[in-house]
Amino acid sequence: MRIGNGELRLVDDVAVSFAELVAQTASQNVNPPTTIALSGGDTARSCYEELARTDGIDWAEVELFVGDERCVPPDDEDANQRMIRRALVDKVGATFHPMDCDRPELYNELVGELGSFDLVHLGLGPDGHTASLFPGSAGLDSTPGELVVRNVDPSGHNPHERLTLTFEAISRSRLVVFTVSGASKHEALQKVIEGDDLPAARVRASEVVWLCDREALGEDT
Ligand code: 6PG
């Protein structure tokens, strides 16, 4: 099924389907390393725990990045890098590039030098945010050339100052994969399907795939 900015797939388990898509992307990559920007959140954690159990990925040929970070100490329980290390990096030993909130220019340079990601993993917040691009936030309107910006949620619902990839940086990805799971995301997902101008709906890339389960889609289970 088509959705505003890509293809929507109904799947039984978003974590399993995500892991399969990553394994497929890595195995088909003729120009290693496969560069993947990871997300934060509980859905992402499940995806990475599943990915760590997935066979057939040569992790020496994968480089991991983050799409956004909360500006807290690296070992803070709210830090995306802490979740990513525990769920995936420490298990598979891939090269990992965390964001340093004190030095956003370093990540801007890193992403600039990279040119493009092979895959960017994104979640969907109940308010329609993705990465740390929140409704009404300044980060939605970055200037051309800005790839990583500081941002905050003006509603205050999502804590901490953040660093986030901009839409421009995300658009450089060959493949963007959204994972949307659970009834709490149904309203936001429905609004994206209906074409509402939510941050997640603004994402553009060569290919955008939405992996959604029945609860998120509100399908009669
Ligand atoms: C973050 C994430 C954020 C997340 C969504 C969905 O740093 O908080 O990058 O964009 O993907 O909020 O999170 P859940 O899967 O926990 O609902």
Side-chain angles (χ1 to χ4, degrees), residues 39-44 68 70 80 123-125 129-132 162 185:
S39 173
D42 295 334
T43 308
D68 67 320
R70 293 84 177 274
N80 287 341
L124 176 69
H129 81 260
T130 193
S132 286
R162 310 289 184 99
K185 305 300 175 68

Side-chain angles (χ1 to χ4, degrees), residues 102-170:
D102 297 330
R103 304 287 303 278
E105 72 282 359
L106 293 183
Y107 225 79
N108 203 74
E109 288 164 19
L110 181 66
V111 175
E113 287 162 8
L114 197 62
S116 64
F117 292 104
D118 291 301
L119 190 152
V120 172
H121 180 208
L122 295 174
L124 176 69
D127 58 359
H129 81 260
T130 193
S132 286
L133 297 165
F134 304 104
S137 66
L140 300 182
D141 303 307
S142 56
T143 54
E146 276 189 317
L147 302 174
V148 177
V149 293
R150 288 183 189 282
N151 206 30
V152 293
D153 177 2
S155 76
H157 292 144
N158 295 278
H160 309 303
E161 185 179 29
R162 310 289 184 99
L163 281 196
T164 184
L165 293 182
T166 59
F167 287 121
E168 179 177 341
I170 293 169

